[in-house]
Amino acid sequence: MLEIKDIHKSFGKNEILKGVDLTIDKGDVVVILGPSGSGKTTLLRCINFLEKADSGKAAFGELQVDLHSASKKDIHAIRQKTAFVFQSYNLFNNKTALENVTEGLITGRKVPKTEANEIGKKALDKVGLSDKYDSYPSQLSGGQQQRVGIARAVALNPDIILFDEPTSALDPELVGEVLTVMKNIANEGTTMLVVTHEMSFAKDVAKRVIFMDGGVVVEEGTPHEIFVSPKEERTKKFLKRVLPEDYTFYI
Amino acid sequence: MLEIKDIHKSFGKNEILKGVDLTIDKGDVVVILGPSGSGKTTLLRCINFLEKADSGKAAFGELQVDLHSASKKDIHAIRQKTAFVFQSYNLFNNKTALENVTEGLITGRKVPKTEANEIGKKALDKVGLSDKYDSYPSQLSGGQQQRVGIARAVALNPDIILFDEPTSALDPELVGEVLTVMKNIANEGTTMLVVTHEMSFAKDVAKRVIFMDGGVVVEEGTPHEIFVSPKEERTKKFLKRVLPEDYTFYI
Amino acid sequence: MSDGLNYKFLVDTFFVALSGVPITLFVTAVALLVALPLGFLLALTRINQIPILNTFSQVYVSFVRGTPIIIQIFIVYASVPLILTAITEKYNWNIKIYDINPIWYAFIVFSFSTTAILIEVFRSALSTVSKGQLEAAQAVGLTNFQAYRRIVIPQALVVALPNICTATVNLIKATSLGYAMSLQEITLKAKVAANVGYNYVEAYLDIFLVYIILCSLVEYGFKLYEKRLRKYQYVSS
Amino acid sequence: SSGGASTSSEDEDVRKVKVAYDQASKPISWLDDKGNATGYDVEVMKLVDELLPEYEFEYVGTTSDDLLIGVEQGKYQVGVKNAFWTEERTAKFIFPQEFLGLSSAGLVLKKENEHIKTLADFASAGFSLAPIAANNAQYTIIAEYNDANPDNPVKLEAGDAFTVDVVQWVNEGRVGGGVIIEGPFQKQVLEEDGPYYNLKDEVVYNEFAVIKTWPLFNKKEQEFADAYDKAIKQLKEDKKTNELSTEYYGRDLFEVLDNVNR
Amino acid sequence: MSNMEKYFDASYIWSSFPALLPFLKITFLVAGLSIIFGTFFGLILASMKLGKNKVARKVANFYTTILRCTPSIVLLFLVYYGVPSIADNFGIYLHDIDTAVFVVITFTLQFAAIMSEVIRSAYESIEKGQFEAAVSVGLSPFQAYRRIIFPQALVVALPNFGNGMIALLQEGSLAYTIGLIDVVGKANLIIAANYNTHALEIFIALAIIYWILSILIEKGFGKLEKMFSKGKQTIKAT
Ligand SMILES: Nc1ncnc2c1ncn2[C@@H]1O[C@H](COP(=O)(O)OP(=O)(O)OP(=O)(O)O)[C@@H](O)[C@H]1O
Ligand SMILES: Nc1ncnc2c1ncn2[C@@H]1O[C@H](COP(=O)(O)OP(=O)(O)OP(=O)(O)O)[C@@H](O)[C@H]1O
Ligand SMILES: [Mg+2]
Ligand SMILES: [Mg+2]
């Protein structure tokens, strides 16, 4: 479904991605873990061309592109196949929830307005916001905003949705609602690549967990492999810091 | 040590505190839990006169004051006996870490500068920032800033330190370092009143846990009483939302 | 004056001053029509650091901000005809430069200075729209142009509006210097009227009143418009 | 201060008066490089001062707007700025009996328009006129002409003296013609070191009137005005004014005094 | 280009500098005094705006609105002619006062309006938490203002203060209209001495002088801001 080969990316002299490979099959949920600064966000942004990689290849099903020199057309095509959920939601402040969801359909894909509205409402219903169609982002709580962000991604019916720490800007109390929504859409068979610190989500939902550090993939495996019996020292050290002390008891 | 009686506080027509009582003995750590908007912050701010309560009494050891009509002198005296650690750190942006810690001593209490510097350095050492004396807040990570905030409180050698969600503005990875520092000073016998969502802290450190909702104390008890066998429906509902699903297993 | 104010003159001249308002507004409107799009485009060149245009805008802004508008007026009024004749002579165009109504000089001067102000206004307004907005728009498949038109500009406009209002008010005030170009606006009209009976104090009081009324109305209009644009920022809770 | 004799200034009888002059109106009156007041109007007033031991003149340079308002308000006791007599001004100022000097007002025109001699010719030709500062008496004169000839008016526009360079504008063709005082025209165009000497064959000066100019006295200064009258009469008899006219305007305008009707 | 050559002679630009520059003294004097008085008056206005007294707040806001709506040249004339004639009514004789005084009054009034907004917004830009933290460590409110709020507000205010100063300097160029011989007034005299010819070159010289001045002010304030903004520099992205 999505295959990434040997992404490199530097900012100035800082090499952030030092050759990352990644494969996701249709319907899979892959979670990326890693300490701050390890390049997780950068990886996601390169896949969606929000950042231009220095080198690397991507294959989306049939479509093969070079991540450095892709044409505008290819970039557009890939963006049609992917959707992005941002850490800080990035809802369009000047649009209502429904308009946020339909904007990409109407303006980007030229879907007729009535049809787009139907799709948009369905997507908002799915994330439990049937009563918030006409609310502006400033009128929504963080959790609601992020759910609109997810609906916006879902409505585009993309081949894959990229999530960048979708819950880390939320109050602890609001995290749950967003994770629930994410679990639901994962269960529907949506392909997802998720950067998150929510271990319970990784444990319950992920098919595979990838641990990144210093711009490379350090370790990769099922949640059980990574959380219970990590092989690499770096992985162990990271998990020790992030998990509750007695986490292993209950996994 | 500290006894609060029947605090009332309204903002406009909104009654936020509807008669809260509170007792803390010397050396105790008391944790306040409660949903957003329940008045936890307001309670702390009233105790420190950052907000003027509508009515209520406080007794700090010998010192008895009316929370509504305390004189400037009493307010000053109570502020000398208390210290406050803010959710958003509120470090003085124009002062170095050390100056932040010594400002209250030198300007507020007229402690000679060299002595104040010694106290300040000791406090910063205690929170693990021996190498950051001369850094400005903008040069510190969130966790480091909050540790300076704690050092600033500790250096004043107050009878009680009030913490208002000291970790909730931090990245998940940085929470640990601040909690560790808080545990250490708790173990030294400092009296602490802590508003927090960190259940593990409450569980490990608190002598008593108070659950507030809608401006009143709903339930109060040891961590075990509150977390494992809460009596009130509201408490149960709140804990269910906040704790990991399988939390009870490992407590 | 020692013999007190001439109230009849004060009242009469108020209407004379008022009759200069259309010219003032006309010049203001033309200057804004030129400066809004131009200022926006040049602001984009600043933000996106487009090599030559960026430097040009920078120097341009610095000059306009750095020199009094009255001196800009003097310079334009004295030099534009010279330059134009030089050009028309060179190419043997048969254009009568000097039939130009002074209002054209006013258009040039005020468009010129307002553009510079608006470059800075738009630059700071655009920088308040977080990059995430643009990225989110791209991520849902909008082109750059669509993203600007539908997402970035509407938000930047709200932020820019109070500053555009200030710029407009300053522009209206600056047209009072149009007398130096024989522009028949509020100040000059009242001054000519004052000349007959030497009632300068009364005339300036009238000018003062007219400007206050005019500017207050303009500010009020902007406030209303801003309120409408801002509707998405109101938190209902 | 008054000339040589009266250095013993503490004298109780000596009254200090402020004489305002237009500081930017060479050669009529101006503030020179060294910071001294000079020009025809000022030099005449200096001679008046010498003849009036009971007054001591202090010269204050200013703009012509301010001069008019200042004299009216009493900030200055008298003002000189090549002022013409107009009806309106009599309501605000005292005009003395004796005028101060003469001023030749004319039209600057392109050589090819030399045949235009009067305001009527100018109006008929449909030419545009360089803007004149609203408080300048030249403006009043044209306005009066227009009132008298409503069917053939000159296109009159108010402007700012600071920005209008009449000779250049006429030569460029920016306007069809402009009103100018002969003195400045002389200095700009006809004298060899004049800035527009190179235009001497391209523009002409056609006088349409010689007009008396007056000092404007504050309404409360009748006594001072009378004293001035005595002194200036003396100066005119001594032909001092003729000399100064020649010196500053390049021409003794008093020769045509008989034809002056204003 | 025959016209250009006839009328434009760059040597006038260069030769006018030595004559113009000494008059910057006057320009600076007038601007400097206006800045000092205006800042002081602006401080009072700002404290009225920030204070609890509703009437004071209304008055200060009204003042700012009126001044914002008045062209400088109109204000200048109103002050120059209006103040003495009002004083006359009270039997006070103000006509002997130097023109420069009226110029200073005018621009003081105007600068105060600008400064009141600069000060108010600088003050409001400092989060409440800074004050709260200061009193919570035992500083008195006055100490909190002096040691914590003021130094931070100053940094915020500096660039706007600089912009206000540049604006003031430029508005000051209108003082020539009431006969003040500052650098613009002197330009006026030079032009008059040339019988109103070659004005363009003199204007260009003036523009250059003002341009350089404003660049210097901007640079100077940039330096000041750096100097005062210790602790404000942000770390390079983590
Ligand atoms: N636009 C940029 N310019 C320069 N450096 C950048 C840029 N974006 C990211 N970086 C740097 O790249 C490194 C990796 O950043 P990235 O955001 O990918 O990390 P991350 O793994 O997502 O971390 P976090 O968990 O904190 O979000 C960081 O050191 C960051 O400073
Ligand atoms: N200065 C104020 N003016 C008006 N209302 C206020 C003010 N401060 C707090 N409130 C209101 O008081 C209520 C309680 O606020 P408070 O901050 O004490 O809650 P909290 O329990 O600390 O919540 P959180 O967990 O979100 O911090 C909220 O509804 C809030 O809107
Ligand atoms: Mg990231
Ligand atoms: Mg709170």
Side-chain angles (χ1 to χ4, degrees):
Chain A
M1 154 81 251
L2 166 61
E3 209 180 322
I4 303 288
K5 268 252 164 315
D6 203 27
I7 289 197
H8 284 263
K9 171 71 187 171
S10 305
F11 288 112
K13 284 188 175 173
N14 262 1
E15 196 174 6
I16 304 302
L17 297 179
K18 303 174 180 163
V20 174
D21 295 340
L22 191 72
T23 313
I24 304 176
D25 291 330
K26 196 167 163 59
D28 277 5
V29 174
V30 176
V31 164
I32 304 181
L33 297 178
S36 187
S38 56
K40 309 178 296 291
T41 298
T42 307
L43 175 63
L44 252 56
R45 290 169 59 84
C46 284
I47 296 176
N48 207 31
F49 292 97
L50 293 175
E51 215 74 72
K52 188 183 258 178
D54 299 335
S55 67
K57 299 227 176 301
F60 282 83
E62 303 295 271
L63 186 63
Q64 305 248 353
V65 295
D66 184 291
L67 287 169
H68 179 65
S69 56
S71 66
K72 273 201 172 168
K73 216 178 110 240
D74 284 345
I75 293 178
H76 201 69
I78 287 180
R79 285 194 180 143
Q80 303 280 4
K81 288 170 184 289
T82 59
F84 205 106
V85 176
F86 297 86
Q87 172 172 9
S88 45
Y89 335 136
N90 286 351
L91 296 190
F92 306 132
N93 297 322
N94 57 331
K95 308 258 170 204
T96 63
L98 184 58
E99 286 167 355
N100 260 280
V101 177
T102 57
E103 181 68 30
L105 294 169
I106 298 173
T107 311
R109 297 211 182 146
K110 310 289 175 215
V111 176
K113 201 168 166 181
T114 47
E115 194 181 324
N117 276 341
E118 230 166 87
I119 300 174
K121 286 180 183 171
K122 231 182 254 165
L124 284 172
D125 295 348
K126 198 178 282 183
V127 299
L129 291 175
S130 312
D131 54 338
K132 298 289 180 187
Y133 294 162
D134 297 325
S135 303
Y136 284 99
S138 61
Q139 298 167 319
L140 299 173
S141 76
Q144 292 169 332
Q145 287 190 56
Q146 191 58 295
R147 284 187 280 158
V148 175
I150 294 171
R152 180 168 72 178
V154 169
L156 294 169
N157 189 26
D159 292 351
I160 181 167
I161 304 182
L162 311 170
F163 291 82
D164 186 15
E165 303 196 27
T167 60
S168 70
L170 293 173
D171 285 345
E173 276 195 272
L174 305 175
V175 170
E177 61 186 64
V178 171
L179 289 180
T180 309
V181 163
M182 286 173 63
K183 280 182 201 173
N184 289 344
I185 60 169
N187 291 338
E188 287 177 10
T190 316
T191 318
M192 291 162 66
L193 181 56
V194 185
V195 173
T196 186
H197 287 292
E198 292 297 326
M199 298 306 156
S200 69
F201 178 82
K203 184 185 67 110
D204 293 354
V205 185
K207 176 92 180 271
R208 258 172 330 122
V209 173
I210 293 174
F211 175 64
M212 274 181 75
D213 194 6
V216 295
V217 172
V218 174
E219 193 167 351
E220 185 172 349
T222 64
H224 196 271
E225 281 165 10
I226 298 288
F227 290 135
V228 181
S229 51
K231 290 190 209 83
E232 301 290 327
E233 206 41 56
R234 271 197 278 176
T235 318
K236 287 180 200 161
K237 220 174 113 195
F238 173 77
L239 289 173
K240 209 172 144 205
R241 259 189 302 148
V242 175
L243 294 179
E245 289 164 48
D246 29 18
Y247 183 83
T248 39
F249 287 134
Y250 78 94
I251 207 154
Chain B
M1 156 79 253
L2 168 60
E3 210 179 323
I4 303 289
K5 270 252 163 317
D6 203 28
I7 291 196
H8 284 263
K9 171 72 188 171
S10 303
F11 289 112
K13 286 189 174 169
N14 261 0
E15 194 173 8
I16 305 301
L17 296 178
K18 302 174 183 164
V20 174
D21 296 339
L22 190 73
T23 314
I24 304 177
D25 291 331
K26 196 168 163 59
D28 276 6
V29 174
V30 175
V31 164
I32 304 181
L33 295 180
S36 188
S38 55
K40 308 179 297 291
T41 298
T42 307
L43 175 62
L44 252 56
R45 290 168 60 84
C46 284
I47 297 177
N48 207 31
F49 292 96
L50 293 176
E51 216 75 71
K52 188 182 259 178
D54 298 334
S55 67
K57 300 228 176 299
F60 282 82
E62 303 294 273
L63 186 64
Q64 304 249 354
V65 294
D66 186 289
L67 287 169
H68 178 65
S69 56
S71 67
K72 273 196 178 171
K73 213 178 112 240
D74 284 344
I75 293 179
H76 200 70
I78 286 180
R79 283 191 182 146
Q80 303 279 5
K81 289 171 183 290
T82 59
F84 206 104
V85 176
F86 298 86
Q87 174 173 9
S88 46
Y89 334 137
N90 287 352
L91 296 190
F92 306 133
N93 297 320
N94 58 331
K95 309 253 170 209
T96 63
L98 184 58
E99 287 166 356
N100 259 281
V101 177
T102 57
E103 181 68 28
L105 295 169
I106 298 172
T107 311
R109 298 213 183 146
K110 310 290 176 216
V111 175
K113 200 169 166 180
T114 47
E115 194 182 324
N117 276 341
E118 230 164 89
I119 300 174
K121 285 180 185 172
K122 234 182 252 165
L124 284 171
D125 295 348
K126 198 179 281 183
V127 299
L129 291 175
S130 313
D131 54 338
K132 298 289 181 188
Y133 293 163
D134 298 325
S135 302
Y136 284 98
S138 61
Q139 297 167 320
L140 298 173
S141 75
Q144 292 168 334
Q145 288 190 55
Q146 191 57 297
R147 283 187 280 155
V148 175
I150 295 172
R152 180 168 70 178
V154 169
L156 295 169
N157 190 26
D159 292 351
I160 182 167
I161 305 182
L162 312 169
F163 291 81
D164 186 16
E165 302 196 29
T167 59
S168 71
L170 294 174
D171 284 345
E173 274 195 274
L174 305 175
V175 170
E177 60 187 64
V178 172
L179 289 180
T180 309
V181 164
M182 286 173 64
K183 281 182 200 175
N184 289 343
I185 60 170
N187 291 339
E188 287 177 10
T190 315
T191 317
M192 290 161 67
L193 180 56
V194 186
V195 173
T196 185
H197 287 292
E198 292 296 326
M199 299 304 156
S200 69
F201 178 83
K203 183 185 68 113
D204 294 352
V205 185
K207 177 95 179 269
R208 257 174 331 122
V209 173
I210 293 174
F211 175 64
M212 275 181 74
D213 194 7
V216 296
V217 172
V218 174
E219 192 167 353
E220 185 172 350
T222 63
H224 196 270
E225 281 164 11
I226 298 287
F227 290 134
V228 181
S229 51
K231 290 189 209 84
E232 301 290 326
E233 206 43 52
R234 270 198 276 176
T235 317
K236 285 181 198 160
K237 218 172 114 198
F238 173 76
L239 290 173
K240 207 172 148 209
R241 258 188 301 147
V242 175
L243 295 178
E245 290 164 46
D246 28 19
Y247 183 84
T248 38
F249 288 133
Y250 78 92
I251 209 154
Chain C
M1 314 259 117
S2 7
D3 12 319
L5 292 178
N6 179 341
Y7 291 102
K8 180 172 177 332
F9 179 85
L10 192 67
V11 173
D12 292 348
T13 307
F14 178 77
F15 294 100
V16 174
L18 213 53
S19 74
V21 170
I23 290 283
T24 296
L25 287 181
F26 185 38
V27 171
T28 304
V30 170
L32 283 176
L33 280 178
V34 173
L36 283 168
L38 202 58
F40 184 78
L41 287 179
L42 288 173
L44 285 183
T45 70
R46 295 271 284 133
I47 285 184
N48 296 321
Q49 311 246 315
I50 295 170
I52 295 163
L53 283 175
N54 180 19
T55 316
F56 166 80
S57 322
Q58 223 172 331
V59 173
Y60 173 45
V61 169
S62 148
F63 177 80
V64 172
R65 276 172 38 98
T67 52
I69 192 148
I70 185 79
I71 292 175
Q72 291 167 25
I73 290 174
F74 292 157
I75 289 179
V76 167
Y77 197 45
S79 70
V80 167
L82 289 184
I83 295 166
L84 286 181
T85 14
I87 294 171
T88 51
E89 266 173 26
K90 192 166 174 196
Y91 297 101
N92 277 319
W93 294 338
N94 196 9
I95 301 173
K96 285 227 175 113
I97 303 299
Y98 298 111
D99 290 346
I100 296 177
N101 189 308
I103 203 166
W104 285 94
Y105 298 104
F107 292 161
I108 296 174
V109 172
F110 294 119
S111 304
F112 179 79
S113 65
T114 309
T115 300
I117 305 301
L118 291 188
I119 290 177
E120 289 303 288
V121 168
F122 284 126
R123 192 165 75 104
S124 66
L126 282 169
S127 67
T128 63
V129 180
S130 73
K131 231 178 122 215
Q133 295 287 316
L134 184 63
E135 290 181 347
Q138 289 171 341
V140 299
L142 268 56
T143 64
N144 240 327
F145 178 74
Q146 288 171 331
Y148 267 99
R149 187 168 55 85
R150 304 203 32 101
I151 308 297
V152 177
I153 293 178
Q155 293 183 43
L157 198 60
V158 176
V159 179
L161 214 56
N163 291 327
I164 295 176
C165 176
T166 307
T168 306
V169 168
N170 285 340
L171 175 58
I172 290 176
K173 290 196 300 182
T175 58
S176 69
L177 301 177
Y179 73 86
M181 307 180 272
S182 308
L183 183 69
Q184 299 296 314
E185 45 67 60
I186 302 168
T187 314
L188 187 57
K189 284 207 162 183
K191 252 174 94 170
V192 170
N195 179 41
V196 177
Y198 291 80
N199 299 306
Y200 289 101
V201 174
E202 290 89 339
Y204 274 101
L205 276 176
D206 283 326
I207 301 170
F208 176 64
L209 280 179
V210 170
Y211 274 107
I212 285 178
I213 293 170
L214 189 58
C215 292
S216 310
L217 285 177
V218 168
E219 281 192 353
Y220 182 71
F222 268 97
K223 284 239 169 72
L224 281 189
Y225 186 52
E226 193 189 332
K227 217 172 189 172
R228 247 185 55 198
L229 281 186
R230 244 182 216 289
K231 62 174 190 243
Y232 68 84
Q233 286 184 345
Y234 288 133
V235 189
S236 58
S237 71
Chain D
S1 68
S2 67
S6 59
T7 20
S8 54
S9 56
E10 295 302 301
D11 196 342
E12 287 234 334
D13 295 342
V14 176
R15 177 171 171 229
K16 283 193 185 177
V17 288
K18 285 195 178 145
V19 181
Y21 65 96
D22 184 345
Q23 65 192 6
S25 184
K26 192 175 172 182
I28 297 146
S29 63
W30 80 98
L31 181 63
D32 73 11
D33 289 345
K34 296 173 201 73
N36 299 317
T38 185
Y40 174 89
D41 281 6
V42 173
E43 293 304 329
V44 174
M45 289 307 277
K46 283 182 185 169
L47 295 178
V48 169
D49 188 11
E50 278 177 29
L51 294 178
L52 298 178
E54 67 273 30
Y55 288 96
E56 184 185 333
F57 289 11
E58 183 195 340
Y59 297 91
V60 184
T62 186
T63 62
S64 85
D65 274 7
D66 178 51
L67 184 146
L68 294 170
I69 302 172
V71 172
E72 191 197 339
Q73 288 190 337
K75 180 157 40 172
Y76 317 117
Q77 280 67 44
V78 65
V80 292
K81 53 154 285 198
N82 206 49
F84 298 170
W85 181 93
T86 66
E87 184 70 46
E88 295 86 22
R89 283 180 179 172
T90 59
K92 299 279 179 180
F93 309 107
I94 294 174
F95 281 86
Q97 304 290 318
E98 291 287 327
F99 64 92
L100 182 69
L102 291 167
S103 185
S104 162
L107 290 164
V108 189
L109 297 160
K110 279 242 189 199
K111 190 82 170 180
E112 69 243 36
N113 298 325
E114 216 175 352
H115 56 278
I116 291 175
K117 299 287 185 194
T118 63
L119 288 177
D121 293 346
F122 188 85
S124 312
F127 284 170
S128 57
L129 188 73
I132 306 170
N135 55 23
N136 192 315
Q138 293 169 10
Y139 188 95
T140 319
I141 288 181
I142 308 288
E144 279 175 5
Y145 164 86
N146 284 350
D147 287 345
N149 302 278
D151 45 338
N152 188 25
V154 173
K155 289 177 194 156
L156 177 61
E157 229 181 70
D160 179 37
F162 202 178
T163 51
V164 179
D165 185 349
V166 178
V167 174
Q168 181 189 330
W169 283 30
V170 170
N171 185 54
E172 282 175 10
R174 189 161 169 171
V175 288
V179 179
I180 198 169
I181 305 297
E182 188 183 25
F185 184 82
Q186 196 102 18
K187 302 277 180 187
Q188 286 179 36
V189 182
L190 300 182
E191 289 191 358
E192 257 176 67
D193 55 352
Y196 291 148
Y197 184 65
N198 55 348
L199 301 180
K200 68 178 191 311
D201 297 324
E202 314 206 358
V203 293
V204 295
Y205 171 79
N206 281 349
E207 178 177 292
F208 61 75
V210 173
I211 299 167
K212 289 174 185 164
T213 67
W214 304 83
L216 304 171
F217 286 86
N218 176 267
K219 275 286 187 193
K220 293 183 186 134
E221 299 292 339
Q222 189 58 54
E223 194 183 327
F224 180 26
D226 294 342
Y228 156 87
D229 275 331
K230 265 199 328 237
I232 189 91
K233 221 172 204 160
Q234 178 79 46
L235 292 173
K236 283 177 185 164
E237 274 162 22
D238 297 348
K239 300 285 178 198
K240 295 278 196 221
T241 46
N242 306 52
E243 286 166 26
L244 288 172
S245 175
T246 313
E247 182 181 345
Y248 286 95
Y249 300 148
R251 176 178 164 202
D252 180 3
L253 287 163
F254 287 84
E255 283 171 1
V256 296
L257 186 55
D258 294 341
N259 304 330
V260 174
N261 45 25
R262 186 192 174 94
Chain E
M1 302 288 270
S2 60
N3 257 315
M4 289 296 270
E5 280 148 31
K6 242 180 280 173
Y7 299 117
F8 191 83
D9 182 350
S11 69
Y12 277 86
I13 300 180
W14 314 128
S15 63
S16 63
F17 282 126
L20 287 174
L21 288 175
F23 287 85
L24 272 179
K25 261 202 322 258
I26 309 293
T27 304
F28 288 155
L29 183 73
V30 166
L33 289 174
S34 308
I35 286 165
I36 293 170
F37 296 133
T39 306
F40 181 71
F41 185 26
L43 205 65
I44 296 174
L45 282 171
S47 54
M48 285 165 74
K49 286 180 188 177
L50 292 165
K52 290 204 180 84
N53 188 325
K54 259 193 193 146
V55 178
R57 215 160 45 205
K58 282 244 163 68
V59 169
N61 284 329
F62 183 71
Y63 175 87
T64 315
T65 308
I66 295 293
L67 273 255
R68 200 175 41 224
C69 288
T70 312
S72 306
I73 192 157
V74 177
L75 187 67
L76 189 61
F77 276 82
L78 281 178
V79 168
Y80 187 54
Y81 297 117
V83 169
S85 66
I86 291 169
D88 262 358
N89 291 342
F90 296 98
I92 306 165
Y93 187 77
L94 291 182
H95 297 298
D96 277 341
I97 292 176
D98 197 285
T99 314
V101 175
F102 294 100
V103 178
V104 170
I105 293 176
T106 306
F107 293 111
T108 294
L109 292 177
Q110 212 172 43
F111 197 63
I114 298 176
M115 281 313 290
S116 70
E117 284 300 288
V118 170
I119 294 168
R120 184 186 59 80
S121 66
Y123 175 83
E124 284 178 346
S125 75
I126 307 303
E127 326 143 66
K128 240 176 96 206
Q130 294 286 315
F131 177 80
E132 292 182 347
V135 295
S136 84
V137 299
L139 269 56
S140 70
F142 177 74
Q143 286 171 330
Y145 280 120
R146 186 168 56 83
R147 300 198 40 94
I148 307 297
I149 308 288
F150 177 74
Q152 294 183 52
L154 183 68
V155 179
V156 179
L158 268 179
N160 293 328
F161 186 73
N163 287 340
M165 239 170 102
I166 292 174
L168 176 77
L169 204 62
Q170 298 188 2
E171 301 294 333
S173 68
L174 294 172
Y176 85 90
T177 54
I178 59 171
L180 182 76
I181 305 181
D182 62 349
V183 67
V184 182
K186 180 60 184 176
N188 198 345
L189 293 181
I190 294 176
I191 292 168
N194 293 333
Y195 304 103
N196 271 7
T197 63
H198 292 291
L200 177 58
E201 293 88 331
I202 313 296
F203 295 149
I204 289 175
L206 264 186
I208 292 172
I209 291 174
Y210 271 99
W211 194 5
I212 291 174
L213 272 183
S214 77
I215 290 174
L216 288 180
I217 293 177
E218 213 161 25
K219 289 253 143 70
F221 271 88
K223 282 240 167 69
L224 276 182
E225 203 187 331
K226 258 209 190 114
M227 232 172 72
F228 282 114
S229 63
K230 56 175 180 177
K232 244 206 147 187
Q233 64 271 44
T234 40
I235 18 169
K236 312 272 174 296
T238 36

